Amino acid sequence: MAISTVATAPELAAPRRPATAGRTLWRFVRKKPLGAAGALIMLVIIVTAVFANLVATHDPLATNAAHTLARPSAEYWLGTDNLGRDIYSRIVHGARVSLIVGLASTLLGSALGGVIGLLSGYAGGKVDLATQRVLDILQGLPLLVLALVMSAALGPSISNVVIAISVPIIPRAARVVRSSVLSIREMQYVEAARGLGLSHLRIAFRHVLPNTVGPFIVLCTAQLGSAILVEAALSFLGLGVPEPYPSWGRMLSISAAEYAHKAPHLVMFPGLAISLAVFGSNLLGDALRDTLDPRLRGA
Amino acid sequence: MDRLQRLALLGCAATLLVALLAPVSPAHAAKAGGILTLTQREDLPQGFAIHETATISSVWPAMPCFNNLVLFDPLKPNETPDTIVGELADKWSWQDGYRNLVLFLRRDVKWHDGTPFTSKDVKYTFDMLREAPEAPQKLRLNPRKDWYANVEAVEAADAYTVIFRLKRPQPSLLMMLASGYTPVYAAHVPSASYRTGCMGTGPFKLKEWRKGEFVEYVKNPDYFVKGRPYLDGLKYIVINEPGTRIAALQTGQVEVSFPSEVSKTNAEQLKAAVPKLVITPYSINTNDNIVMNMKKPPFDNPKVRLAVSHAIDRRALIQAVHQGGAVPGTALAPRPYGAWGLLEPDLQGLPGQGKATDEKAKAKKLLGEAGFSPQNPLRVEMVTRNLSIYVTLASFVVNELKQIGIEATLKQIETAQWHPMGTRGEFQIAANLTGIGPDDPDANFYENFGCGSPRNYSFYCSEQVMSQIDKQSQELDPKKRLTIVQAIQKKLEEDVARPIIDWRLDYFTVWPYVKNFIPHQSMYNFGRVQEVWLDK
Amino acid sequence: MKSYVAQRLAVALLTLLGMSLVIFLLLRLAPGDIVDILFSAAGYVDPQDKKAIMQELGMNRPYWVQYLEWIRGIVTGDLGKSYRYELPTWQLIRPLLPVTLELAALAIVIAVLLGVPTGVVSAIRQDSGLDYVLRVLSLAGLSMPSFWLAMVIILSLVAWFDWIPPMTYVGPSQNLRLHLLQFLLPALAVGYRSSALIMRITRSALLEVLREDYIRTARAKGQTPGLVVWRHALKNAMLPVVTVIGIEFAFMIGGLVVTETVFNLPGVARFLVQAIQWRDYPMVQNLVMFISIVVILSNLAVDLLYGVLDPRVRYGH
């Protein structure tokens, strides 16, 4: 009782201005400027992706033999590639592809991994042990190698690339959620729920899951950057998103490297785009982590 | 004239005479010595087993190890029956109206391990290639078996004489023997050994093949051509990354480009960076083509096929996809790169060669006649290999088809599945590349347009054309033969058997001190490196 | 302690076995096999030839037979023959190992040399201008695709110096200077990324520790800040940093694949990509197992190091 009085006393003592969304946002920006910058970058990229048709200046797929490997100019803001396609427009539309692939694979992998981690952590015992070993196996295989083999196994298509990239994410997501579950599982309110006779599944999803949201969001933002990078590497090796979708990664692959000596902008701009997207998501992820789950700061 | 004047005149005349008759020493005498560094885009697919592969990645690094019976003269860029010179055979003659080919072999040739070369090796090689029932060995893979379909028997008349007995006259056989694809294997080693090593008679001996890294050769000191090779050794470095490969060529770490890897844009870039590089455009005897499966709708309908052929603007494609580094043509390479191609005026009338707007209008009309319209558009799936050169070609074609109302989606097929898919006919339309060893109608027609040929991916079969192909194969008068061959090419385009889009050019790049490395009109035949020397 | 090690080893072995099964099955899931690739190189397809070659390579036997033979081979030391090169896989892998290991080791050294000091500085001067700059720089390193960095390096070298590192392996005994140039540049490309991660972990670990009570006590006792940092904070902060170094070594493989390809180094990673494209099952299986063993061993080493460094782990597990 004494504790609650102390806690609420300052509330009564000094009247505060109501916390509007705007003020919360401003506080976030002031407290975590890097995070705000990251959020801004991600917002720009998302808006570009969604409104790609409006933001782009040319058709990203239209070839133009007369203007191959043109330097950046008023007409072609970032120059053209070896087929005369406008690089700026391809980067804009590529944002859509890279973002979709990145988000889809991250969400797919994190969701699957999260469910596995949740059930495994909650169930405990032999089930947990066995699941851990299986996850160890998946995690032990290096990310790119696993994605490479999966991509070769499934063949070149957008959905297959999403699946291929999501698979290495599953064990990592499961790990994070599981550790979160383990710490929550022993808490009093869960015991109370059990005492009340609620089924395990219900407890798992209704009570434990919501409390893992914080670490889960952090995980997603962290993995998004990684997913975009893996997609780029796969495309570079020829196994990523296939034509005609403009993918940042594939813009950097074979044809870019060949012509790069004459037209370095072919290599610079898609690479900068990828770096910026990953940078933004990492900044945002860091800030979210610091805010939502300070326990994970060391992770 | 007094005595002194007469003597002076005599002296002048004598000096003049001596000067005229004295052997002219060349301004640039070939120098011996040095190691030449070349490059490979991938590691050797099956080692040095040329007979078990059909790719430049195999022929290019393996040719220095071998000799053929005959070869196209390395110093002449054009390849015709007149430019064929002897290697293991120093004399040959056709007899019985091109029914028997008699070759007289050199007597001073030794295999790299010292074993003497005899006619036994020749009989062994060609019995194996034509899969004669009495052949002592069988090749694990035999891509060019059909080249020898007409060979009845290979006779070793004595230790240094070989006779090819043919079922019917075939002058083209000599052209096929002169291709880089036709080395002579040794009878005293198993044919499988060529996949891991190389027992040849050639100007260079294999020193080391470090898998995935490089192939190294040293000069063959007992080579039967005295004074050759000029070079002390060769090194082919494997560089998988195209950007890195161009950088290596530009900085001089690699001194010779890999055939088919230097496009026009690359050539311009290299020339701008290093103006002294010697860059020679040449045809690599490879064409871009469209394969339409005639066994299934919609391409069983000739009107639809013709529409597709009209829709593809050949010249625009050459500009967009190759930046001008290709030439239009039909089934055989066009002049001046090949000897059999149609000339410009004949080419004009064929589908896709005319003005773009007219051609597209014709295409739309044909589609309409076939029953397709904007309300009922033709939807197809175009397949292509999962390699950048195929994909850029296919992307452009898809765009062309879009303009006449065909909705085509593009599907990329991985290397491992490409040929099986083609042979089984599990596709509708495909963007394809075809490379042919020698510039010869026999080597081309049977394989790509012959009824029932496994590589006739469009399943085109015309009895009439087949009989014409057989006829030209036996035609001994070159002029008559040319007429028949050109007529066949026209018919193939009109029947839309496999519309040829263009013939690719490559830009052979060497550093200026590399002398006598002359590209031919086919990239498969000039890799012997016997005459090359370094002016350093 | 012994039982801890034994337990960990047993788990490691089990995990390796599981990995072998996964890679074995995954490979065979991929459409096409070595014979299809050979047909591609030969430009034609013949079902009869395919049957003959599959029999020759032993590929027509049931999967479990092939799997057991492979596992038995690993135990007895016979790693099978490469489908593509028809040579023992160990003979092909052996020259690749030193290249990749040296590259990875150099990358880790660069990563630690770059990452730890910047992490310390960043932690000590938390939220200062320098801190922000260092954090942004390190995050930039984490955000760049490693192959892009490699490509940019090669392009710059050609443009500025008209020179690229040697395209074939130069041993240290042949030409030390060239050898170092050949390895330091790609090591830098890979190491920059890892240094970013190490910097972040060092910074956050040090920050955690600096907030601890015993640090405040030491400072209150009047010890000089520098000594405080070094003696107390850094040692305790090193634990998670060591963990990350161990894990990074394994994660680096991805970066090594593209770096080895762009810089044309004859290492394990570049060979692996080719082997996957060729469906050379024995090569891929053994290469991936080798990589997995490195990963497991480094995890094990980290776990053991944990046990040594942190007594709580040793006894309270």
Side-chain angles (χ1 to χ4, degrees):
Chain A
M1 291 285 78
I3 302 167
S4 52
T5 341
V6 171
T8 52
E11 228 76 40
L12 294 167
R16 278 228 199 128
R17 287 149 87 199
T20 62
R23 278 189 227 293
T24 327
L25 202 66
W26 180 239
R27 223 164 348 141
F28 180 69
V29 171
R30 266 232 318 239
K31 201 160 169 244
K32 298 235 150 283
L34 284 184
L40 186 65
I41 295 175
M42 290 315 288
L43 199 65
V44 167
I45 293 179
I46 292 173
V47 165
T48 309
V50 169
F51 296 107
N53 288 317
L54 295 173
V55 179
T57 51
H58 294 81
D59 177 0
L61 305 177
T63 61
N64 186 340
H67 292 106
T68 57
L69 298 179
R71 303 227 142 217
S73 63
E75 197 192 341
Y76 300 106
W77 293 357
L78 297 179
T80 61
D81 67 6
N82 59 313
L83 289 182
R85 297 180 291 204
D86 178 36
I87 290 184
Y88 167 71
S89 304
R90 282 176 73 75
I91 288 187
V92 163
H93 281 265
R96 193 182 272 189
V97 173
S98 297
L99 219 59
I100 289 178
V101 171
L103 275 171
S105 53
T106 303
L107 286 174
L108 183 65
S110 303
L112 272 174
V115 168
I116 293 176
L118 176 70
L119 294 174
S120 163
Y122 189 72
K126 288 228 174 72
V127 170
D128 185 31
L129 220 61
T131 322
Q132 280 312 97
R133 294 286 76 80
V134 172
L135 290 176
D136 263 346
I137 291 171
L138 272 184
Q139 196 162 10
L141 295 169
L143 210 107
L144 190 61
V145 174
L146 194 57
L148 247 173
V149 179
M150 291 240 55
S151 220
L154 297 169
S157 87
I158 277 202
S159 46
N160 288 344
V161 172
V162 168
I163 296 174
I165 299 177
S166 68
V167 167
I169 294 180
I170 294 175
R172 289 159 180 84
R175 271 268 140 72
V176 167
V177 173
R178 176 181 171 270
S179 64
S180 187
V181 165
L182 283 179
S183 53
I184 294 173
R185 196 176 60 164
E186 308 308 321
M187 291 208 172
Q188 297 225 311
Y189 64 87
V190 174
E191 294 262 344
R194 289 260 291 286
L196 282 175
L198 291 180
S199 78
H200 285 292
L201 219 62
R202 187 129 176 231
I203 296 174
F205 279 95
R206 282 291 285 310
H207 297 273
V208 179
L209 182 60
N211 289 288
T212 62
V213 164
F216 188 74
I217 290 180
V218 172
L219 170 79
C220 276
T221 41
Q223 290 298 335
L224 177 61
S226 165
I228 294 178
L229 284 176
V230 173
E231 188 273 316
L234 280 180
S235 296
F236 174 70
L237 292 169
L239 290 167
V241 173
E243 289 274 353
Y245 306 104
S247 138
W248 289 341
R250 208 181 60 250
M251 287 170 76
L252 281 178
S253 73
I254 303 184
S255 28
E258 269 189 85
Y259 302 109
H261 301 279
K262 179 170 177 192
H265 56 272
L266 223 62
V267 165
M268 300 309 294
F269 294 127
L272 282 172
I274 296 175
S275 307
L276 202 64
V278 178
F279 190 64
S281 98
N282 278 344
L283 277 179
L284 186 59
D286 276 357
L288 281 177
R289 184 189 59 213
D290 287 346
T291 318
L292 291 175
D293 193 357
R295 282 175 301 163
L296 280 186
R297 209 178 284 145
Chain B
M1 248 189 270
D2 68 2
R3 232 189 185 176
L4 205 57
Q5 283 175 314
R6 244 179 283 161
L7 263 171
L9 198 61
L10 204 64
C12 285
T15 320
L16 204 63
L17 203 66
V18 167
L20 283 172
L21 291 176
V24 180
S25 57
H28 262 84
K31 294 185 206 158
I35 309 239
L36 182 65
T37 310
L38 308 96
T39 182
Q40 275 281 107
R41 89 170 148 224
E42 52 176 338
D43 197 13
L44 285 57
Q46 285 282 273
F48 305 88
I50 292 183
H51 285 308
E52 291 181 349
T53 54
T55 163
I56 184 66
S57 296
S58 185
V59 173
W60 185 244
M63 269 188 84
C65 170
F66 289 105
N67 284 118
N68 288 16
L69 285 169
V70 293
L71 189 69
F72 293 109
D73 189 340
L75 300 175
K76 300 213 171 76
N78 275 53
E79 295 176 346
T80 66
D82 301 320
T83 67
I84 294 180
V85 295
E87 278 207 314
L88 294 172
D90 54 9
K91 280 204 297 289
W92 61 92
S93 81
W94 280 106
Q95 295 179 356
D96 281 332
Y98 288 84
R99 275 199 184 78
N100 293 320
L101 180 62
V102 182
L103 300 124
F104 300 101
L105 308 173
R106 297 184 70 111
R107 292 160 191 262
D108 53 352
V109 182
K110 289 207 198 35
W111 293 98
H112 288 158
D113 65 351
T115 314
F117 159 78
T118 66
S119 60
K120 198 167 104 180
D121 300 303
V122 179
K123 180 169 164 64
Y124 161 83
T125 303
F126 290 96
D127 275 347
M128 185 171 61
L129 281 170
R130 68 190 182 92
E131 294 188 359
E134 72 267 22
Q137 293 242 322
K138 185 170 172 343
L139 289 168
R140 195 164 81 161
L141 291 169
N142 194 354
R144 284 171 293 281
K145 178 169 132 191
D146 291 330
W147 279 11
Y148 313 99
N150 191 29
V151 176
E152 178 111 64
V154 180
E155 223 179 83
D158 60 49
Y160 298 103
T161 313
V162 178
I163 308 176
F164 282 78
R165 297 205 188 279
L166 306 179
K167 296 177 195 160
R168 56 151 177 89
Q170 189 184 18
S172 286
L173 182 67
L174 198 61
M175 294 286 281
M176 297 195 263
L177 291 178
S179 164
Y181 273 135
T182 322
V184 177
Y185 272 12
H188 64 284
V189 299
S191 60
S193 70
Y194 285 97
R195 282 181 244 138
T196 46
C198 184
M199 175 60 64
T201 57
F204 295 93
K205 278 167 126 154
L206 179 65
K207 179 170 164 202
E208 186 187 357
W209 176 25
R210 212 178 282 176
K211 315 290 182 288
E213 243 195 286
F214 61 78
V215 175
E216 216 175 349
Y217 284 104
V218 285
K219 175 187 181 132
N220 177 4
D222 304 313
Y223 193 49
F224 58 86
V225 180
K226 293 296 161 241
R228 303 286 190 281
Y230 292 117
L231 298 166
D232 283 335
L234 302 171
K235 194 165 185 180
Y236 294 79
I237 304 182
V238 176
I239 305 180
N240 300 115
E241 221 343 83
T244 313
R245 204 160 47 232
I246 296 278
L249 187 57
Q250 195 172 315
T251 54
Q253 249 198 70
V254 157
E255 296 164 323
V256 179
S257 67
F258 182 74
S260 79
E261 287 294 295
V262 182
S263 64
K264 181 148 187 253
T265 317
N266 285 337
E268 286 166 0
Q269 173 183 299
L270 284 166
K271 196 71 177 180
V274 187
K276 60 184 172 180
L277 282 175
V278 176
I279 303 184
T280 319
Y282 69 109
S283 157
I284 50 177
N285 218 27
T286 300
N287 63 58
D288 297 332
N289 54 73
I290 302 292
V291 181
M292 288 178 274
N293 190 343
M294 293 186 197
K295 275 201 183 151
K296 303 206 285 206
F299 297 110
D300 53 352
N301 183 341
K303 285 207 185 192
V304 179
R305 295 202 305 272
L306 199 55
V308 168
S309 190
H310 276 288
I312 303 173
D313 185 349
R314 310 295 201 261
R315 277 159 234 276
L317 190 148
I318 288 174
Q319 197 45 47
V321 176
H322 301 291
Q323 284 85 47
V327 288
T330 49
L332 287 162
R335 321 285 187 88
Y337 303 104
W340 305 91
L342 293 182
L343 297 166
E344 257 312 298
D346 295 315
L347 208 56
Q348 281 301 335
L350 294 174
Q353 307 281 0
K355 221 168 91 173
T357 37
D358 296 338
E359 295 288 329
K360 298 250 178 2
K362 272 197 207 138
K364 281 201 195 120
K365 184 154 164 282
L366 284 160
L367 266 186
E369 286 171 19
F372 297 102
S373 63
Q375 291 73 36
N376 173 27
L378 175 57
R379 283 182 229 272
V380 291
E381 183 184 69
M382 169 167 281
V383 295
T384 194
R385 269 179 82 169
N386 195 15
L387 300 169
S388 110
I389 45 173
Y390 284 79
V391 172
T392 40
L393 172 69
S395 306
F396 186 87
V397 173
V398 163
N399 228 359
E400 292 288 273
L401 295 182
K402 221 200 285 188
Q403 290 174 42
I404 61 162
I406 299 182
E407 289 172 22
T409 53
L410 187 58
K411 182 166 173 206
Q412 291 171 52
I413 308 286
E414 250 207 301
T415 297
Q417 299 173 278
W418 179 246
H419 288 281
M421 177 207 73
T423 311
R424 288 198 290 265
E426 288 165 357
F427 68 99
Q428 289 181 303
I429 179 172
N432 187 33
L433 263 78
T434 305
I436 304 122
D439 174 38
D440 182 86
D442 282 13
N444 190 334
F445 285 152
Y446 287 108
E447 180 180 305
N448 295 310
F449 304 100
C451 292
S453 161
R455 270 166 289 190
N456 182 353
Y457 299 119
S458 56
F459 303 103
Y460 172 75
C461 186
S462 158
E463 290 300 326
Q464 183 204 2
V465 171
M466 272 313 283
S467 72
Q468 287 295 91
I469 294 176
D470 282 332
K471 184 153 174 247
Q472 65 79 30
S473 175
Q474 305 179 57
E475 180 54 61
L476 306 180
D477 181 310
K479 281 218 260 300
K480 281 206 198 125
R481 192 175 178 198
L482 180 63
T483 315
I484 306 176
V485 168
Q486 294 194 330
I488 294 175
Q489 292 178 69
K490 250 178 127 187
K491 184 85 172 55
L492 287 173
E493 289 297 323
E494 283 160 9
D495 282 355
V496 203
R498 189 197 284 198
I500 307 289
I501 311 291
D502 62 73
W503 286 80
R504 293 174 166 255
L505 296 179
D506 185 50
Y507 292 78
F508 194 59
T509 309
V510 295
W511 277 75
Y513 49 81
V514 178
K515 304 285 185 198
N516 262 359
F517 211 150
I518 298 173
H520 287 193
Q521 72 200 37
S522 163
M523 60 175 172
Y524 302 99
N525 309 329
F526 68 96
R528 190 74 83 221
V529 199
Q530 177 181 304
E531 302 293 325
V532 178
W533 56 282
L534 296 176
D535 190 4
K536 275 213 253 201
Chain C
M1 186 63 185
K2 256 210 193 139
S3 67
Y4 180 72
V5 177
Q7 190 192 35
R8 277 270 171 274
L9 264 173
V11 168
L13 267 166
L14 220 72
T15 314
L16 276 175
L17 204 66
M19 276 182 188
S20 71
L21 196 61
V22 168
I23 194 66
F24 184 86
L25 290 172
L26 259 183
L27 266 181
R28 281 148 183 85
L29 199 73
D33 50 42
I34 179 81
V35 189
D36 294 318
I37 305 285
L38 287 176
F39 281 143
S40 168
Y44 83 104
V45 172
D46 184 336
Q48 293 288 49
D49 287 343
K50 175 158 187 161
K51 254 204 288 195
I53 299 178
M54 287 192 72
Q55 185 146 13
E56 188 186 317
L57 294 173
M59 287 171 68
N60 54 347
R61 296 170 298 162
Y63 280 173
W64 63 268
V65 170
Q66 295 186 50
Y67 176 69
L68 284 176
E69 186 181 283
W70 173 43
I71 296 297
R72 188 168 52 103
I74 293 182
V75 172
T76 58
D78 169 21
L79 294 176
K81 273 204 193 166
S82 157
Y83 284 168
R84 175 183 183 175
Y85 294 109
E86 298 176 75
L87 289 171
T89 52
W90 178 236
Q91 191 178 330
L92 293 164
I93 294 178
R94 196 156 47 111
L96 309 169
L97 295 177
V99 175
T100 304
L101 285 173
E102 181 174 346
L103 186 59
L106 274 176
I108 284 278
V109 164
I110 289 179
V112 169
L113 284 179
L114 275 178
V116 171
T118 45
V120 168
V121 166
S122 202
I124 295 176
R125 302 234 179 288
Q126 189 190 7
D127 288 338
S128 70
L130 185 61
D131 178 31
Y132 277 110
V133 166
L134 287 175
R135 277 166 67 192
V136 165
L137 275 178
S138 86
L139 201 59
L142 270 181
S143 309
M144 282 194 283
S146 47
F147 64 89
W148 184 63
L149 186 57
M151 266 163 64
V152 169
I153 292 179
I154 294 256
L155 281 177
S156 314
L157 286 173
V158 174
W160 297 335
F161 303 109
D162 207 16
W163 173 90
I164 51 171
M167 292 282 100
T168 51
Y169 177 70
V170 174
S173 48
Q174 288 171 270
N175 186 335
L176 188 61
R177 191 170 145 267
L178 265 182
H179 172 87
L180 284 176
L181 272 173
Q182 188 176 39
F183 276 81
L184 277 176
L185 286 163
L188 202 73
V190 180
Y192 182 35
R193 261 187 79 74
S194 301
S195 78
L197 201 68
I198 289 178
M199 182 265 187
R200 283 149 67 80
I201 301 299
T202 308
R203 177 181 180 277
S204 56
L206 198 57
L207 281 176
E208 282 287 323
V209 166
L210 282 173
R211 271 189 264 271
E212 296 277 340
D213 285 343
Y214 67 89
I215 295 293
R216 282 194 283 165
T217 316
R219 264 205 262 245
K221 279 210 274 185
Q223 289 196 357
T224 51
L227 206 63
V228 166
V229 170
W230 176 244
R231 235 212 221 152
H232 298 278
L234 207 54
K235 269 197 292 188
N236 290 296
M238 274 302 108
L239 205 57
V241 180
V242 164
T243 317
V244 169
I245 293 179
I247 298 174
E248 258 308 284
F249 194 78
F251 272 78
M252 224 185 254
I253 301 289
L256 289 176
V257 166
V258 285
T259 313
E260 278 183 17
T261 306
V262 175
F263 282 93
N264 216 48
L265 285 170
V268 166
R270 187 179 76 145
F271 215 85
L272 179 60
V273 175
Q274 297 293 314
I276 291 177
Q277 281 168 359
W278 268 77
R279 304 288 193 273
D280 193 349
Y281 298 154
M283 282 304 298
V284 179
Q285 283 160 204
N286 290 320
L287 279 170
V288 173
M289 282 314 289
F290 159 72
I291 293 172
S292 308
I293 289 175
V294 169
V295 171
I296 299 264
L297 278 179
S298 59
N299 280 344
L300 197 65
V302 165
D303 274 350
L304 290 177
L305 212 58
Y306 242 88
V308 162
L309 288 176
D310 190 346
R312 290 176 297 172
V313 172
R314 236 185 295 161
Y315 300 112
H317 214 73

